[in-house]
Amino acid sequence: MINIAILGTGKIIPEAVAAMQASNKFRVANIWARPRSRDKAAALAAQFNIDKFTTDLDAILNDTAIDFVYIGLINAVHYEYAKKCLDAGKNVILEKPFTTSSAQAQDLIDLALGKRLYLFEAITTLHQPNFRAIRDALKKIGDVKLILCNYSQYSSRYDAYKRGEVAPAFDPKLFGGALMDINIYNLNFVIGLFGAPLSVSYAANRGFNGVDTSGVVTLEYETFIAQCVGAKDSASPCFLNIQGDGGYIYSTSPPNELNSFDLAIRGEDVQTFALNKFNHRMVHEFIDFGEIFEQKNYAAVESCLNTSRDVMTVVDRITARL
C-alpha cells in the first residue's frame, strides 16, 4: 500500500479518503489540519480508522514513511502547499483547480519534473473508463463540429451568499466562483479530448462582490466550437454533447461523474456505454494514480500535467480580460 497524508478537513476530504480506501492502493497515514480545525481532524481520523492526525505540517513533510500528500485545501493555497510538499520531496495529489494561474502551474510542473516526483491534479473526469471510451469513439462520429457541456448545480452555499455571507467558494479574492470550481470539469473534458483551443472568451453572471456565480466559456478550435456552461446559482439537467457530421456522443451525467454515454452513428442504432466500475466518482482516479506510481509510468504523469497546464492557460486567458 502507498502511504498518503491528507492536508485539510473540508467537505471534499471524507469523500476523498473513502475513495482512497476503496481503491486498495492508498493507506491514509495522517491528517493535517490548522489548529482551529484540530477537532475535525480528530473526528475524521476516528471515522476512517486513521492512526494519526496533526496540526504540525513538518511532522508530515519530514516523515519518510509518507509517499504522497493529498491537498484538499481552498483554491487560493493550492500552489503554496503543493510547493512546500514538492520541496520536501513528497509526491503530490492536488485537488482541482490545479493552481490559480498558468505560471503557478508551470512552476509546480518544473519542480516535480526536476525532482522526478509524481504530481497529479485530482480531476475525476480524465480517469473514468467512460472518458477513455469517448476518446476512442470520436473517430466514429466524423468531423467534430460542436461541443456543448452544461454542469449546473445550485450551490449549498448560494442562499447564504445571497444574504451577504461569503464563503471561500464565492470569494473572488480566494479564487472562488463558477469558472474555478464547477466549470473546471467541463474545461478538462474538452481540453482533455482536444487539447488547447485557438481562442477563448467568457460571459458571466456576477454577484454583488464581483464573483462569477455562473458563466459560459467559448473555446474556438480550428474546425469546431465548444461551449462550457457552469452554474452555481441555478440548476439544470447536466449533459455533455459532441456533435460530428457522422453522429454524436451524448451523456446526461455531469462531467465529474460521467456515468454513461450514448454513441449515435448516423444510420445505426444508438449504443449506450456504462463502463465505470465504481459508484463513487473518485475511486478510478486514485486507482490510476496508484498504478502510475507502482509502474513508474512517468510518461502518464507528464501527460496529465500537460492537460492541467493547458486548462490553467485557458483560465489565464479568461481572467486577463476580466
Side-chain angles (χ1 to χ4, degrees), residues 61-269:
L61 298 183
N62 296 328
D63 186 346
T64 58
I66 298 295
D67 302 303
F68 269 85
V69 177
Y70 168 85
I71 300 172
L73 303 167
I74 62 171
N75 298 348
V77 299
H78 282 191
Y79 169 77
E80 174 189 351
Y81 281 87
K83 192 171 189 306
K84 286 179 180 180
C85 293
L86 292 169
D87 281 336
K90 299 301 183 187
N91 302 297
V92 172
I93 299 172
L94 185 56
E95 255 306 325
K96 64 86 190 166
F98 190 59
T99 54
T100 59
S101 72
S102 61
Q104 289 181 350
Q106 191 62 59
D107 190 40
L108 293 183
I109 290 169
D110 290 344
L111 182 56
L113 296 182
K115 288 175 168 283
R116 204 69 173 173
L117 292 169
Y118 291 73
L119 171 63
F120 300 107
E121 181 179 10
I123 187 81
T124 55
T125 308
L126 306 182
H127 302 279
Q128 306 290 18
N130 286 326
F131 176 81
R132 291 168 178 158
I134 287 173
R135 184 174 55 203
D136 293 340
L138 286 173
K139 59 183 177 291
K140 299 179 180 180
I141 64 169
D143 294 333
V144 172
K145 297 299 181 182
L146 289 171
I147 302 171
L148 301 172
C149 306
N150 187 332
Y151 188 8
S152 297
Q153 181 176 290
Y154 193 87
S155 171
S156 61
R157 301 178 179 91
Y158 190 59
D159 285 340
Y161 174 78
K162 289 193 292 184
R163 296 193 298 268
E165 302 168 20
V166 180
F170 284 101
D171 189 340
K173 295 178 181 177
L174 297 178
F175 301 92
L179 175 65
M180 294 297 284
D181 180 10
I182 209 161
N183 227 345
I184 287 289
Y185 290 108
N186 288 327
L187 292 176
N188 271 277
F189 178 78
V190 176
I191 293 170
L193 291 172
F194 300 101
L198 298 176
S199 65
V200 182
S201 61
Y202 188 48
N205 292 312
R206 299 199 173 274
F208 64 83
N209 62 345
V211 75
D212 57 323
T213 57
S214 57
V216 181
V217 179
T218 301
L219 307 173
E220 294 191 36
Y221 289 80
E222 186 173 356
T223 58
F224 64 89
I225 298 169
Q227 285 202 316
C228 299
V229 176
K232 295 165 67 70
D233 57 9
S234 54
S236 168
C238 299
F239 65 87
L240 303 163
N241 191 36
I242 305 173
Q243 298 171 212
D245 58 10
Y248 65 82
I249 295 168
Y250 183 78
S251 175
T252 57
S253 296
N256 64 331
E257 296 181 2
L258 199 55
N259 293 322
S260 66
F261 70 94
D262 292 338
L263 172 61
I265 302 171
R266 195 173 61 246
E268 299 182 13
D269 291 338

Side-chain angles (χ1 to χ4, degrees), residues 1-5 20-21 25-30 51 66:
M1 296 285 268
I2 302 165
N3 286 326
I4 190 166
M20 288 175 198
Q21 293 179 339
K25 293 291 182 183
F26 290 92
R27 172 185 170 272
V28 181
N30 207 337
D51 292 339
I66 298 295

